[in-house]
Structures are given as structure tokens and as C-alpha cells.
Amino acid sequence: KSEHPYYYMNSIMVDESFPGMRQENDLNFNHPDFDKYPHIAKIWIGSESRVSCHSDTPRNIACCVQGDRRFTLFPPNQIQNLYPGPLTPTPGGQTVTMTDIQQPDFDKFPRLKEALDNAVIAEMEPGDALYYPSLWWHEVDALDKFNVMINYWWIDAPRYLGDPLDVLMHAMLTLRDRSPSEKKAWREIFDYYIFGDADKVRDHLPEHTWGALGPMDQDRARRLIMQVRQSLNR
């Protein structure tokens, strides 16, 4: 290890902590998502550090301002090979891998080898920017004595759609511990109603009967939230 003081300021809101900074130093990103959905700029400042491999719901553009960085990224389908830790609580609020991807122990975590075979590594210098999609796993190494990164996060969905993690937690409660045959049947139902073609489930029905099957908007979302709350309060 280097013999010098270590500092780490993580995920600091730029507009609140450095007012006026973005007027002269901002990302000129001409993309319709930035106009349609609100984005948040955050800054990370510190000496050498490592953010353990995790995933985030928002999309991200990471801009290397000072010092070199290394991103090690994995597509979402590698989750089972990354040995995720507990869902909560975690220091940064996100589930992280229980493995050391820089010094892997394949005897203890044999599936990690497949994850590493599918990894994408981005070596970044000041002035570089990296985009990665929602739910991609990523480990971030700040490699120099002084490092600065600014990233821009946004979710390409209206706020009334809520957080899919709530669905996951509810499914833990209601589905996970049922019999294999019942879970298999529910998987077919979810594939039909949630992950399949939304038009297919309603194109044979009169429009006035669509209810929750119709295109989601703020009014329909509000009615569904009330329905779910009533169900949970029984």
C-alpha cells in the first residue's frame, strides 16, 4: 500500500455540493433520454479505492475527470455466477458480490470463472466517458493517488411505474417458498402477463375491460397501487 492519507467522498450530489459547477463543466449529451427523463449528476473524489461489484437500476454515464479508473462489467445474466450477498443491509445500499474478482478463488466460487469469461473491462483516463445500461454489474477501481469521477444517472421510465425491487421483495414473500410445480405455473403466468407481448394479452378483449392490462399511465398506476395496498392490508 502507498504511505499517504486516504480520503473518499462518494456519490455526492453535484448541484447541491458544488453549486454553479455544471454551468461551466457539464456533459453535453444530446440524447432524448436527457430531455424526457430527469438525470442526476454525482461526483466521487478520493485516493485509491475499490467499489465492490454491484448493479444499479439507473442507466449511467461515468466520466473520468482526474486519475485513471478501471471498470469491470458483467451483463445481468451473470448474476448467478457472481454470488450476490444479502439484499439488505449493505453499506452502499446495493447488493454486492461475495467474491474477489481481482483475486478469484475458484475452489470456493467455481461459477465465478464463467462470469469472468463474460466480463468487459474498461480502462479509463481523464476525459474518457463510459456508458453502461441498467442492471449491469460493475466493479470500479480508482487507481491513482487522487481521483475524481462525475457520473450521470437516469431511469428511462416514468416515476409512477415504481421500483421493480418492490416486486422482487413481494415475490420473496408470496412465491419463492411454494412448491416447484406451482412456481413453474406462476412462471408461465408472469411470462404471459409481464415479460411477453403486452398487446397479445389484451387484443382479444374489449377495451373497456382492459383494467390493469391496458397501457400503463399515471391514473391506471394509481388504481393499481390502491389495489395492492388493500391486498397487503388484509
Side-chain angles (χ1 to χ4, degrees):
K1 280 188 175 182
S2 301
E3 296 298 328
H4 64 80
Y6 287 85
Y7 302 97
Y8 186 54
M9 298 170 55
N10 69 308
S11 199
I12 305 298
M13 301 284 284
V14 172
D15 292 337
E16 295 177 4
S17 301
F18 299 92
M21 175 180 171
R22 293 179 65 190
Q23 274 65 47
E24 298 183 6
N25 303 276
D26 203 11
L27 176 66
N28 183 15
F29 185 54
N30 184 17
H31 192 282
D33 274 2
F34 265 37
D35 295 328
K36 187 174 181 181
Y37 303 110
H39 59 278
I40 298 173
K42 294 189 175 183
I43 190 167
W44 310 66
I45 304 173
S47 44
E48 299 95 328
S49 64
R50 172 172 295 164
V51 177
S52 296
C53 191
H54 66 285
S55 66
D56 299 306
T57 299
R59 299 185 179 197
N60 195 346
I61 297 178
C63 303
C64 186
V65 177
Q66 176 68 41
D68 292 347
R69 283 184 184 262
R70 179 177 60 239
F71 276 73
T72 306
L73 303 110
F74 304 87
N77 65 4
Q78 292 303 309
I79 181 173
Q80 62 179 324
N81 298 323
L82 289 168
Y83 298 87
L87 290 174
T88 55
T90 63
Q94 304 293 344
T95 300
V96 301
T97 180
M98 293 290 96
T99 71
D100 184 342
I101 67 173
Q102 303 301 328
Q103 295 180 316
D105 183 347
F106 295 132
D107 291 331
K108 188 175 181 180
F109 303 108
R111 296 194 306 273
L112 181 59
K113 187 177 188 306
E114 183 175 347
L116 291 171
D117 288 342
N118 287 274
V120 178
I121 299 176
E123 302 281 356
M124 301 179 67
E125 299 177 347
D128 290 340
L130 172 69
Y131 164 77
Y132 52 92
S134 171
L135 299 176
W136 271 63
W137 289 74
H138 51 286
E139 181 161 289
V140 187
D141 289 283
L143 302 173
D144 285 346
K145 200 170 180 178
F146 180 64
N147 305 271
V148 180
M149 179 180 72
I150 296 178
N151 61 1
Y152 297 81
W153 282 339
W154 75 98
I155 295 176
D156 59 339
R159 293 178 62 89
Y160 59 74
L161 290 186
D163 186 352
L165 185 60
D166 294 337
V167 180
L168 177 64
M169 301 303 286
H170 195 193
M172 293 278 186
L173 169 68
T174 59
L175 290 176
R176 186 194 58 192
D177 293 337
R178 295 180 183 269
S179 68
S181 61
E182 191 173 357
K183 287 198 292 185
K184 183 178 180 181
W186 275 109
R187 177 178 290 179
E188 296 293 338
I189 293 172
F190 271 72
D191 283 344
Y192 179 68
Y193 283 108
I194 306 301
F195 301 111
D197 184 348
D199 292 331
K200 182 179 180 180
V201 303
R202 59 177 177 249
D203 61 7
H204 59 287
L205 298 172
E207 184 173 347
H208 71 275
T209 68
W210 283 357
L213 300 179
M216 196 57 58
D217 55 26
Q218 194 158 2
D219 183 60
R220 187 170 272 117
R222 188 181 300 111
R223 293 199 299 268
L224 273 176
I225 290 171
M226 292 177 59
Q227 182 179 341
V228 172
R229 282 178 177 167
Q230 290 174 357
S231 176
L232 290 174
N233 289 332
R234 289 176 185 170

